[in-house]
Amino acid sequence: MKNKIEAIQPVDLAERGMNNLTLIQAKGEARIDSRLLAAQLSNKHKSTMALIERHADQLRRFGVLPFQIAKPVAGSMGGRPENYSLLNEDQAFFLLALSRNTDRVVELKAGLVIAFREARSKTAVNDVHYLPLYHALHDEIKYLALRAEECGSS
């Protein structure tokens, strides 16, 4: 089964001269694409990936460090598949901690705080709706199983 990856509502950083930050949901966890971080930092993605690979052991201390391969864009004239990584919140902040605190990096850190906070609050809202429903269904199934047993079902 393929991993389900879906976009989360982007955080608008246009007033700060930056593009939107879009987190993705991968296996129930908010993550950010290393290509997006590189673009926000005005760095080449190759340099960002070199930094990730150089500090991979430290990054893995904060969780699984998934590497992905993106195929060239359809219709493009060839090209090589591009490696990228999906960083969780702690990994993203650790990576940014390795960068000099320029105005751009500080703004990106603030934007990431907002983006990950919003992702957590959306997850919390889903949990609030999910758990009562789960318990109600569990109780109903238990009742139906007892009722079926009383009627002679085995």
Side-chain angles (χ1 to χ4, degrees), residues 44-77:
K44 290 183 178 180
H45 184 247
K46 185 177 180 178
S47 301
T48 300
M49 282 304 295
L51 192 61
I52 290 170
E53 289 167 2
R54 185 173 33 232
H55 298 285
D57 289 339
Q58 289 83 3
L59 288 164
R60 284 189 185 99
R61 293 171 55 192
F62 304 112
V64 175
L65 182 60
F67 288 97
Q68 308 286 323
I69 299 175
K71 295 180 182 176
V73 178
S76 66
M77 300 296 287

Side-chain angles (χ1 to χ4, degrees), residues 39-146:
Q40 294 289 353
L41 292 168
S42 297
N43 290 344
K44 290 183 178 180
H45 184 247
K46 185 177 180 178
S47 301
T48 300
M49 282 304 295
L51 192 61
I52 290 170
E53 289 167 2
R54 185 173 33 232
H55 298 285
D57 289 339
Q58 289 83 3
L59 288 164
R60 284 189 185 99
R61 293 171 55 192
F62 304 112
V64 175
L65 182 60
F67 288 97
Q68 308 286 323
I69 299 175
K71 295 180 182 176
V73 178
S76 66
M77 300 296 287
R80 298 180 58 110
E82 182 178 25
N83 292 327
Y84 66 99
S85 187
L86 298 175
L87 304 171
N88 66 23
E89 182 175 7
D90 294 334
Q91 291 164 337
F93 283 112
F94 178 76
L95 187 66
L96 289 178
L98 299 174
S99 301
R100 191 174 302 135
N101 275 332
T102 63
D103 291 341
R104 188 165 192 83
V105 171
V106 171
E107 286 298 325
L108 181 55
K109 287 178 182 181
L112 279 175
V113 167
I114 293 166
F116 278 107
R117 182 185 64 213
E118 288 179 4
R120 276 192 305 278
S121 71
K122 287 177 185 172
T123 301
V125 167
N126 288 339
D127 289 347
V128 166
H129 293 295
Y130 172 76
L131 287 176
L133 178 64
Y134 171 83
H135 291 296
L137 287 173
H138 183 269
D139 293 344
E140 185 66 23
I141 291 169
K142 184 176 179 181
Y143 169 77
L144 289 173
L146 288 173

Side-chain angles (χ1 to χ4, degrees), residues 145-154:
L146 288 173
R147 183 82 175 107
E149 190 176 313
E150 288 174 358
C151 293
S153 180
S154 55

